[in-house]
Amino acid sequence: MLRRLTLRDFAVVSASELEFGPGMTVISGETGAGKSLLVDALGFLSGLRADAGMVRHGAARAELHADFDPADAPAALDWLREQEFDDGQACTLRRTLRADGGSRAWINGRPATLSQLSQLAGLLVEIHGQHEHQALLEKSSQLALLDAFGRHDAPLAAVREAAARWSALLRERDALSRTGDVSERIDWLQHQLGELEREDLRPEALETLVAGHRRHAHAASLIAACDETLSGLSGDDEGPSLERRLQQLRGGLSRERAHEPRLEEVDAMLESAAIQIDEAALLLQRVRDDLDLDPVRFEAMDATLARLHELARKHRVAPEALADTRAAFAAELESLREAGTRLQVLDGEITTAAGAWREAADALGLARAATAGRLSQATTGLIGELGMGGGRFEVALEPVDRDRPDPQGGERVEFLVSANAGQPPRPLRRVASGGELSRVSLAIEVAALGSDAVPTMVFDEVDSGIGGAVAEIVGQKLRALGDSRQVLCVTHLPQVAAQGHAHYRVSKADRDGLTHSAVQRLDAKQRQEELARMLGGVEVSKEARAAAKRLLGNAG
């Protein structure tokens, strides 16, 4: 529900703030006073193209601000959350129009695009009249209203679910078909896997191979180094072994230990060194015993390592990554083998899914046909009451392509109107008269009362071209609509204005050579006087005041 609308430097309005409540609010005023500017402001806040001509003369920019209570618009709250514009229960739209033709928009204080502004406004307010922004002229809105009127939630959900299933299967088949003939790829993968599976690619096996190859490659020098070291440790004809030499050194120190206690620590170190040398000699002997000059084994390891490096270069990976490459090839091969089988199964599943969608679409189509008849009959009756005697309203169902999944079903909707008897019905968007269009829109909304999810409806000059009893009926229908929706109505007829729950008057005055408009909320006495003016013109007579009082009494 619209709670507040603020205008600044907009057309002839220098500054104005309007508070709105539930029910029906009427806006009246003299011709040229700017009473339709409030509707224009909502249009710009709904994403209409910026118009520099709407900036008040002498001002740099016009500012428009609308504050909504989205409690009655859950779809708008969901949209705010999805688009990350949510701020608790706040819902404010702001837009500036610059004199140079530019504009900017904000949602809940955050910059927004005109597309985002339009999407959100479409969930909050619906404008009917001689304006570009009229949701009922769009086929998508017409279809949504028909489904809401007929309460088609269940069959529509079934169609959407069936369409989603069918679409998913078609996408899967397209993806598999794009791979083309995979036999060559399968043969290539099998050959690559054969090469890789002949090798032991475990990390520990690779480490053992590399270490063994290095040891055999340096076996001769290793043997010579071990022999030389062992010879030095064990001694030869040229001198005693290191162990015997250490014993001799320890013996010489032992004779002097009594004179220097610290020599005992030196003796302990030499004893430990002797033990370490002995252990080193034993380990070195074991290493020497393990070393063997085996050219055949070395050649085998060298050949294996060469094959691994060649495979690594071929697949452009390190030798350590060959195991992962083999696993990837194996997974792809399995997938390609399954793809052929899956393609054969998919055709059957797609046929079944298409049949399920068509069955659900047929059920929805039957429900829509029945609902279209009820809505056509109800709206046609209301059109006659609203001064379009002989007029006719029809809901035409247009079939769509049933060979592709459509989540909206197997048909689209077109609202058709014949304004006068004997004339063929034409699409609603092509109705020439703005007044007729507004009255037809009103009739549709009243006939579908409670079905439209948009909480605020604006009717601009809905009473154009009518008067008398018909005008009173129009007002009564608007008031009835206001029982379940917030209704804003710009009118010049007192019979319509009298039906409002609240009343604003727009007036104009010349100040400093410029025209200024002011908007005033009327109390009971002021309202009676405004209705009398609307009835009697410039000179308000006692009869006009009495008639205004009767209109208000009848409406109350």
Side-chain angles (χ1 to χ4, degrees):
M1 181 178 72
L2 177 63
R3 294 190 302 188
R4 185 180 299 104
L5 179 63
T6 304
L7 315 178
R8 185 177 299 277
D9 294 329
F10 183 64
V12 292
V13 178
S14 55
S16 184
E17 182 174 297
L18 291 81
E19 300 278 349
F20 297 97
M24 174 184 172
T25 298
V26 296
I27 302 166
S28 65
E30 299 176 2
T31 301
K35 55 182 178 293
S36 290
L37 287 178
L38 305 178
V39 181
D40 294 336
L42 287 173
F44 285 115
L45 285 167
S46 299
L48 287 182
R49 185 182 299 275
D51 183 356
M54 299 304 293
V55 180
R56 190 171 66 88
H57 179 69
R61 66 178 181 273
E63 294 195 17
L64 311 173
H65 187 283
D67 184 10
F68 289 87
D69 179 358
D72 54 0
L77 283 173
D78 292 340
W79 186 93
L80 287 169
R81 282 190 290 268
E82 291 171 2
Q83 300 293 321
E84 298 183 350
F85 282 109
D86 54 313
D87 186 11
Q89 291 294 310
C91 183
T92 61
L93 309 183
R94 178 174 171 243
R95 190 173 179 190
T96 61
L97 308 175
R98 296 199 306 271
D100 62 7
S103 76
R104 294 183 64 189
W106 294 263
I107 296 175
N108 281 343
R110 302 179 188 125
T113 65
L114 288 187
S115 175
Q116 291 171 323
L117 198 68
S118 177
Q119 291 173 28
L120 177 58
L123 302 173
L124 294 168
V125 61
E126 193 170 274
I127 301 176
H128 303 279
Q130 301 177 52
H131 298 273
E132 296 176 14
H133 182 70
Q134 299 178 60
L136 273 182
L137 300 185
E138 300 174 4
K139 286 188 176 183
S140 59
S141 296
Q142 295 174 1
L143 182 62
L145 188 144
L146 179 71
D147 285 334
F149 179 69
R151 291 176 171 81
H152 300 152
D153 293 349
L156 184 57
V159 167
R160 288 172 175 166
E161 183 178 349
R165 170 64 176 163
W166 187 7
S167 296
L169 292 172
L170 288 174
R171 287 194 300 271
E172 183 181 356
R173 185 177 66 181
D174 290 343
L176 291 176
S177 299
R178 282 195 297 271
T179 60
D181 185 5
V182 297
S183 58
E184 291 185 4
R185 180 67 176 176
I186 289 176
D187 292 342
W188 184 86
L189 288 171
Q190 288 175 332
H191 176 72
Q192 305 307 317
L193 277 174
E195 289 183 337
L196 292 170
E197 287 174 348
R198 284 194 290 270
E199 307 295 341
D200 189 349
L201 301 178
R202 293 173 301 145
E204 58 272 22
L206 287 176
E207 291 178 5
T208 301
L209 175 63
V210 171
H213 182 270
R214 184 182 297 112
R215 187 171 56 251
H216 277 74
H218 299 84
S221 58
L222 285 171
I223 291 174
C226 289
D227 288 343
E228 181 180 358
T229 304
L230 285 172
S231 176
L233 291 175
S234 61
D236 54 21
D237 294 341
E238 297 180 359
S241 66
L242 283 178
E243 182 181 4
R244 182 172 180 77
R245 180 60 180 154
L246 283 173
Q247 292 297 333
Q248 292 174 351
L249 294 173
R250 288 181 63 202
L253 288 175
S254 64
R255 291 191 291 271
E256 305 298 331
R257 278 185 301 181
H259 309 299
E260 176 52 72
R262 288 178 294 179
L263 291 178
E264 289 190 9
E265 184 177 354
V266 174
D267 183 65
M269 292 180 179
L270 291 176
E271 182 181 14
S272 175
I275 295 172
Q276 292 291 325
I277 289 173
D278 186 51
E279 291 179 352
L282 292 174
L283 178 58
L284 186 59
Q285 186 62 54
R286 287 198 297 272
V287 171
R288 171 62 183 83
D289 293 341
D290 289 339
L291 293 172
D292 185 17
L293 288 173
D294 187 347
V296 175
R297 187 179 178 190
F298 174 68
E299 289 179 3
M301 287 189 291
D302 191 60
T304 301
L305 200 57
R307 288 197 306 273
L308 292 177
H309 281 288
E310 179 61 29
L311 288 171
R313 284 193 296 272
K314 179 178 180 180
H315 298 294
R316 298 181 180 179
V317 296
E320 296 79 8
L322 285 173
D324 293 335
T325 301
R326 180 177 61 189
F329 285 164
E332 183 183 356
L333 181 60
E334 182 66 21
S335 174
L336 291 178
R337 285 171 173 166
E338 292 177 352
T341 305
R342 179 59 182 155
L343 271 174
Q344 295 175 0
V345 175
L346 266 178
D347 287 337
E349 291 184 359
I350 289 172
T351 300
T352 301
W357 178 85
R358 293 189 180 100
E359 183 178 347
D362 288 342
L364 177 60
L366 290 174
R368 282 173 171 168
T371 299
R374 296 199 310 273
L375 182 60
S376 298
Q377 184 177 2
T379 305
T380 297
L382 287 167
I383 286 175
E385 292 184 48
L386 297 178
M388 297 173 64
R392 188 170 78 258
F393 175 81
E394 295 180 6
V395 179
L397 300 181
E398 305 169 346
V400 297
D401 181 10
R402 294 168 61 88
D403 293 330
R404 301 294 295 178
D406 191 325
Q408 297 299 319
E411 56 277 317
R412 291 294 180 269
V413 164
E414 178 80 80
F415 286 176
L416 306 177
V417 176
S418 172
N420 300 290
Q423 291 184 351
R426 295 185 301 157
L428 181 62
R429 64 181 181 276
R430 295 180 183 172
V431 173
S433 167
E436 290 177 346
L437 178 59
S438 295
R439 273 177 278 159
V440 171
S441 299
L442 173 60
I444 295 170
E445 294 293 354
V446 173
L449 193 62
S451 300
D452 199 323
V454 179
T456 299
M457 297 181 180
V458 181
F459 293 90
D460 185 19
E461 301 289 353
V462 70
D463 46 22
S464 176
I466 63 173
V470 174
E472 189 170 353
I473 293 173
V474 169
Q476 291 171 354
K477 299 303 182 184
L478 286 167
R479 187 179 179 94
L481 190 60
D483 290 338
S484 62
R485 294 288 185 272
Q486 183 187 43
V487 174
L488 308 181
C489 178
V490 176
T491 182
H492 66 277
L493 292 182
Q495 296 92 332
V496 174
Q499 297 290 334
H501 298 96
H503 193 152
Y504 278 98
R505 179 179 63 202
V506 182
S507 59
K508 64 178 179 178
D510 291 334
R511 187 168 67 247
D512 299 328
L514 296 175
T515 299
H516 294 264
S517 287
V519 185
Q520 178 186 10
R521 183 170 181 137
L522 305 180
D523 58 24
K525 185 177 180 179
Q526 292 169 330
R527 189 174 182 190
Q528 181 176 323
E529 194 67 16
E530 172 66 6
L531 291 181
R533 181 199 64 78
M534 296 171 74
L535 284 163
V538 178
E539 297 294 332
V540 179
S541 64
K542 290 190 297 183
E543 292 78 7
R545 290 189 174 93
K549 187 175 181 180
R550 284 196 304 273
L551 285 174
L552 288 172
N554 292 338

